[in-house]
């Protein structure tokens, strides 16, 4: 199992050597993992890259990418891409150079992947996790981006801590499916965006509580500086785009439902015109809609989590079971409703149950049971 630790650096000459030592020291306790380190440095004026080159002479498995100063997001996109495509990592673990996230915690994250999770996020916002030493400004900043934007605007609910760098990500079937080349984040909005992209692959997430400490040496690069406004604007933009992308999938699902409804009506009418018993006709019509919904949802609405190959048939059976649930919901609503209100209300009740009960129910069931991560 090959782990690539990705460390973005900008003026971290006093931290990076200690960080390399710390990762290898912890790694040694787990011979079943092969640890390599990839540093992405933006030609730091303090000469961080020189320190890295000295360590490359001391240890094998240290790689260095250097480029012009472009921001944390760009550095991470480059690092992730290199770790997947060139270094062929099985797991990537991004972390900061400054020891705010304790590198000795990385085995806790990797063990979660061994248990079957795909993304294990070090978190300050689950029981047992916390932050030491933030001032009110830093805290306000974090709350706005993390709660207001990431949770409410973008609607990324897979985790509670969206802003940190430290996490373990499975490459096979997960990170390899993320179109990193399309990601354009310059600043820290990358952290939210990558979580969203990972969620689209159907990844299973878990949060691991950790304590976020104060910096060991040097100064933070994120805060009130000339990039601050650019990064905040990018974060807001990114949150809105994520929300729109999510609604697009819901919109497609509604269109698929309408097509299914039309198919059901047409098949039923044709069969009835051929003097087939209406009960039988409607059953065939419903199955026609179910087949159309399954195919269109698989190749369009949920194409990012497409079901392929031999699993297809059993998923189709499950899909039929979920659809039976939808039929039952409509039957019960219309049955109970007309009992109290009178038969004249059947159509309103049916439409009501479709919009308020069936649509949310099946969207949830599809995401939860049908188009979920293949394990
Ligand atoms: N290559 C490169 N280029 N590295 C950068 C850049 C850049 O433009 N800006 C920051 N870094 C590196 C730093 O050297 C450090 O290793 C890491 O990214 C995090 O930067 P800090 O300066 O320590 O920022 P922080 O303490 O505010 O970071 C917190 O917020 C970030 C954004 O949400 C932590 O929670 C980070 O984990 C998180 O990514
Ligand atoms: Mn830091």
């Amino acid at each position: 199992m090959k782990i690539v630790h990705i460390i973005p650096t900008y003026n971290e000459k006093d931290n990076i050597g200690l960080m390399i030592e710390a990762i290898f020291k912890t790694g040694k306790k787990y011979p079943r993992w092969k640890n390599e380190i990839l540093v992405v440095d933006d030609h730091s004026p303090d000469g961080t890259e020189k320190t890295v080159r000295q360590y490359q002479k001391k240890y094998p498995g240290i790689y260095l990418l250097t480029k012009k100063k472009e921001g944390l997001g760009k550095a991470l996109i480059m690092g992730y891409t290199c770790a997947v495509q060139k270094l062929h990592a099985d797991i990537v673990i991004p972390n900061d150079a400054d020891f705010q996230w304790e590198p000795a915690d990385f085995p806790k994250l990797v063990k979660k992947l061994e248990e079957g999770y795909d993304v294990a996020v070090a978190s300050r916002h689950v029981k047992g996790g916390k932050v030491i030493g933030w001032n009110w400004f830093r805290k306000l900043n974090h709350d706005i981006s993390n709660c207001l934007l990431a949770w409410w605007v973008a609607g990324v609910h897979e985790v509670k801590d969206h802003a940190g760098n430290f996490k373990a990500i499975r490459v096979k079937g997960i990170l390899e499916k993320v179109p990193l080349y399309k990601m354009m984040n310059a600043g820290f909005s990358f952290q939210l965006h990558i979580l969203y992209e990972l969620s689209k692959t159907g990844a299973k997430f878990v949060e691991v509580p950790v304590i976020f400490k104060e910096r060991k040496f040097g100064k933070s690069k994120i805060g009130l500086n000339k990039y601050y406004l650019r990064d905040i604007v990018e974060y807001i933009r990114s949150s809105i785009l994520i929300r729109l992308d999510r609604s697009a999938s819901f919109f497609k699902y509604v269109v698929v439902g309408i097509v299914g409804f039309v198919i059901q009506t047409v098949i039923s009418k044709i069969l009835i015109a051929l003097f087939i018993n209406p009960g039988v006709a409607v059953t065939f019509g419903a199955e026609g809609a179910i087949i159309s919904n399954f195919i269109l949802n698989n190749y369009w609405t949920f194409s990012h989590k497409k079901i392929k190959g031999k699993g297809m048939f059993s998923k189709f059976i499950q899909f039929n079971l979920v659809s039976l649930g939808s039929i039952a919901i409509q039957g019960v609503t219309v049955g109970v409703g007309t009992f109290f209100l009178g038969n004249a209300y059947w159509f309103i009740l049916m439409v009501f149950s479709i919009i308020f009960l069936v649509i949310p129910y099946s969207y949830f069931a599809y995401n939860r049971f049908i188009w979920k991560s293949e394990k």
Side-chain angles (χ1 to χ4, degrees):
M1 181 95 82
K2 179 162 167 179
I3 303 177
V4 174
H5 300 259
I6 304 169
I7 316 289
T9 54
Y10 195 70
N11 289 341
E12 302 285 2
K13 79 168 176 2
D14 297 325
N15 287 316
I16 190 64
L18 295 173
M19 178 52 65
I20 291 171
E21 299 276 6
I23 291 171
F24 284 148
K25 185 174 166 216
T26 304
K28 262 200 196 143
K29 297 181 199 152
Y30 300 87
R32 63 182 187 276
W33 305 330
K34 180 169 189 260
N35 289 283
E36 294 186 350
I37 297 173
L38 171 62
V39 178
V40 189
D41 185 64
D42 289 11
H43 289 307
S44 299
D46 76 348
T48 302
E49 49 181 290
K50 235 176 78 193
T51 311
V52 177
R53 292 217 166 85
Q54 284 161 4
Y55 274 88
Q56 284 181 313
K57 290 183 199 139
K58 197 165 161 197
Y59 298 109
I62 299 177
Y63 303 90
L64 173 65
L65 288 173
T66 55
K67 60 182 194 58
K68 64 173 197 289
K69 172 87 173 109
E70 289 171 303
L72 175 63
K74 294 268 185 217
L76 286 170
I77 292 167
M78 197 170 186
Y80 277 57
T81 308
C82 173
V84 173
Q85 294 178 1
K86 297 236 166 67
L87 301 178
H88 306 290
D90 297 303
I91 294 174
V92 303
I93 305 187
N95 197 358
D96 301 344
D98 59 3
F99 287 83
Q100 289 199 270
W101 305 100
E102 174 54 56
D105 285 339
F106 90 76
K108 289 191 208 164
L109 303 177
V110 178
K111 282 178 191 162
K112 289 287 172 194
L113 267 53
E114 289 181 333
E115 278 174 34
Y117 292 99
D118 301 307
V119 181
V121 176
S123 175
R124 302 163 276 205
H125 305 316
V126 288
K127 200 168 174 287
K130 69 172 178 196
V131 175
I132 296 176
W134 264 354
N135 61 25
W136 67 271
F137 178 72
R138 200 55 228 256
K139 189 166 169 1
L140 180 73
N141 231 337
H142 178 77
D143 288 347
I144 290 179
S145 57
N146 206 65
C147 306
L148 187 73
L149 292 168
W151 186 273
W152 288 105
V153 175
V156 174
H157 296 169
E158 280 74 12
V159 291
K160 294 205 180 72
D161 194 338
H162 305 83
N165 195 19
F166 195 31
K167 48 181 92 64
I169 307 169
R170 184 188 309 288
V171 174
K172 189 161 184 284
I174 305 292
L175 187 57
E176 67 181 8
K177 285 199 206 154
V178 172
L180 290 164
Y181 61 92
K182 281 194 196 156
M183 295 178 71
M184 294 296 162
N185 313 67
F188 52 80
S189 71
F190 173 82
Q191 306 294 11
L192 172 63
H193 193 179
I194 190 73
L195 289 174
Y196 175 60
E197 291 295 338
L198 290 165
S199 78
K200 287 211 288 182
T201 69
K204 252 174 86 183
F205 286 76
V206 63
E207 282 184 281
V208 176
V210 298
I211 294 170
F212 187 72
K213 300 171 291 187
E214 294 191 76
R215 233 176 197 275
K216 207 151 198 173
F217 300 111
K219 285 203 303 271
S220 171
K221 280 91 218 170
I222 293 166
L224 278 179
N225 57 32
K226 65 176 177 182
Y227 301 106
Y228 184 66
L229 203 62
R230 173 199 77 179
D231 288 355
I232 293 280
V233 170
E234 186 183 75
Y235 201 98
I236 296 173
R237 189 169 165 269
S238 190
S239 306
I240 294 172
L241 289 177
I242 289 173
R243 165 63 64 184
L244 290 177
D245 196 46
R246 282 240 156 115
S247 343
S249 138
F250 186 72
F251 172 77
K252 289 175 184 172
Y253 154 84
V254 170
V255 171
V256 169
I258 294 172
V259 171
F261 181 77
V262 171
I263 288 184
Q264 170 164 8
T265 312
V266 170
I267 294 181
S268 311
K269 287 205 163 177
I270 292 176
L271 294 180
I272 290 173
L274 294 172
F275 302 108
I276 289 174
N277 172 293
V280 177
V282 170
T283 308
F284 273 97
E287 191 56 35
I290 288 172
I291 292 172
S292 141
N293 288 356
F294 185 73
I295 293 172
L296 291 178
N297 277 325
N298 195 38
Y299 291 100
W300 192 43
T301 319
F302 298 104
S303 58
H304 49 280
K305 320 188 217 177
K306 205 181 292 157
I307 304 161
K308 292 183 270 218
K310 54 179 166 34
M312 194 106 173
F313 185 70
S314 72
K315 282 285 176 182
F316 179 65
I317 300 293
Q318 282 179 35
F319 187 81
N320 271 274
L321 290 178
V322 169
S323 307
L324 272 183
S326 306
I327 294 172
I329 291 174
Q330 293 179 58
V332 170
T333 315
V334 173
V336 173
T338 48
F339 178 80
F340 287 108
L341 302 171
N343 280 358
Y345 283 88
W346 77 269
F347 189 70
I348 289 183
L349 285 162
M350 187 181 84
V351 172
F352 167 87
S353 76
I354 290 177
I355 294 178
F356 293 103
L357 303 172
V358 172
I359 291 179
Y361 153 77
S362 47
Y363 192 68
F364 170 79
Y366 294 168
N367 273 297
R368 185 85 174 71
F369 303 114
I370 314 286
W371 284 281
K372 60 170 185 181
S373 153
E374 291 170 59
K375 286 235 81 67

